[in-house]
Amino acid sequence: MKFIFKVLLIFPVLLLSQDWAGQSGSFLRMGITARSISMGGGFTAELDQSFVQLHNPAWTAFLTKKYFGSSFNNLSLDRRIAATNISSLLPPTAGVGVSWINAGVTDIQGRTSSGEKSSVMQTSENILMVTFAQRIQPWLSVGANFKILKYDLPITTSDQISGSGIGFDLGFLVKSNEYITYGLVVQDLSSNYQWDTNAIFTQGGPYKDEFPVIYRLGSRFSNKGLKIIGDAGLITNHKTYFKFLPRLGVEYGLLEKYFFRGGYGNGRTAFGVGYQYALFSENDSQIDYAFSLDWAVQTCHTISYAFNF
């Protein structure tokens, strides 16, 4: 009976697991900010105050203020994801942004060849991202993210190997009216890690780990405190189609200060809350929390802060 129960528990995980989930750059496809995670992550056409340029770089061309945001994800198995960013309008019709994203695993217990404990190690992935966007028409903008990527991977207590590379995102945004917005993004064009293991392995050599490319099309509807957002993505490895990825979320604002959210996307069900308040001026600060649960019964708590000035 216990065996049957374990099979029934694990089978949906195996059935719904995808090859793309283990590809390079997976932390970028998990979600970073509390508000986006709690609404399923489908922010291709929605403005995320905590990380304006992440979901669609074209949003920065429509900014009327400067935005600063930070976020922290506390995941199971000693994993973490953190991000800090700033974005701003660039008069008269452009926008720019700079951001840093870090992901890694701590408390990895090292072992010698005989199985004895050695030092405790950690891994780290870092992305420095520069954003530029331009309004082509009052209702249409195009933007791009330029990414510098680095992955530090410990092999032993004394040896470490690093992979590095560059990548791009390309986004379009259409604001058809005050209620409806459409977005299109090509994520991780040419993103990759390039490794050279000759210094560690006898038969090592340079090779490249490419990120899956994601094509996303999304929309949002907003009226009287209610927002419904969603997008659909096609995940490929430049040659082979991996997965169709739909995401959907809803948010309801009460008194323009309290926000309640829920959604499904990226294989996770999530919900969250938010509070907007005045720090120096009216509604210039916002703090958000999200709780998410994936098919492997892994939980995540995310806290984000946004400040506009």
Side-chain angles (χ1 to χ4, degrees), residues 4 29 43 53 79 97 110 152 191-193 227 237 307:
I4 295 175
R29 301 184 291 275
F43 269 43
Q53 60 268 46
R79 298 171 297 158
D152 294 318
S191 296
N192 64 83
Y193 290 130
K227 282 189 179 181
N237 67 347
F307 176 71

Side-chain angles (χ1 to χ4, degrees), residues 38-39 225 250-254 258-262 271-274:
S38 64
M39 297 174 69
V250 62
E251 174 186 77
Y252 180 72
L254 183 64
Y258 308 97
F259 300 92
F260 305 91
R261 309 174 181 119
F271 66 88
V273 293

Side-chain angles (χ1 to χ4, degrees), residues 72-75 289-292 299-303:
F72 182 78
N73 288 258
N74 182 23
L75 298 107
Y289 166 79
F291 172 81
S292 57
T299 60
C300 174
H301 300 274
T302 306
I303 296 177

Side-chain angles (χ1 to χ4, degrees), residues 130-239:
V130 179
T131 304
F132 178 78
Q134 175 68 51
R135 262 183 289 157
I136 302 173
Q137 296 290 336
W139 48 270
L140 173 65
S141 68
V142 59
N145 291 327
F146 172 73
K147 303 174 181 177
I148 300 175
L149 314 165
K150 193 170 189 297
Y151 193 169
D152 294 318
L153 180 66
I155 301 298
T156 68
T157 55
S158 58
D159 293 320
Q160 179 172 291
I161 182 173
S162 295
S164 60
I166 60 173
F168 305 90
D169 299 332
L170 182 63
F172 301 87
L173 194 71
V174 177
K175 301 187 77 171
S176 60
N177 56 51
E178 61 178 313
Y179 303 112
I180 302 176
T181 304
Y182 300 99
L184 173 66
V185 171
V186 183
Q187 179 181 332
D188 284 322
L189 273 170
S190 302
S191 296
N192 64 83
Y193 290 130
Q194 298 192 48
W195 304 86
D196 189 350
T197 58
N198 280 311
I200 297 178
F201 300 114
T202 304
Q203 297 181 348
Y207 68 96
K208 182 188 295 186
D209 282 334
E210 293 190 350
F211 290 28
V213 180
I214 305 177
Y215 301 87
R216 295 189 274 111
L217 179 64
S219 65
R220 74 160 182 176
F221 171 79
S222 177
N223 189 25
K224 296 181 179 180
L226 177 66
K227 282 189 179 181
I228 301 174
I229 62 99
D231 64 14
L234 292 176
I235 304 175
T236 77
N237 67 347
H238 305 274
K239 298 178 181 179

Side-chain angles (χ1 to χ4, degrees), residues 5-18 20-21 30 75-76 79 243-246 263-270 291-300:
F5 175 76
K6 290 180 180 179
V7 170
L8 292 175
L9 180 63
I10 296 173
F11 180 73
V13 178
L14 299 177
L15 182 65
L16 294 165
S17 63
Q18 304 296 329
W20 59 269
M30 294 173 60
L75 298 107
S76 59
R79 298 171 297 158
K243 173 74 174 177
F244 173 71
L245 184 66
Y264 177 82
N266 300 324
R268 296 188 295 183
T269 301
F291 172 81
S292 57
L293 181 69
D294 65 23
W295 282 101
V297 199
Q298 299 295 325
T299 60
C300 174

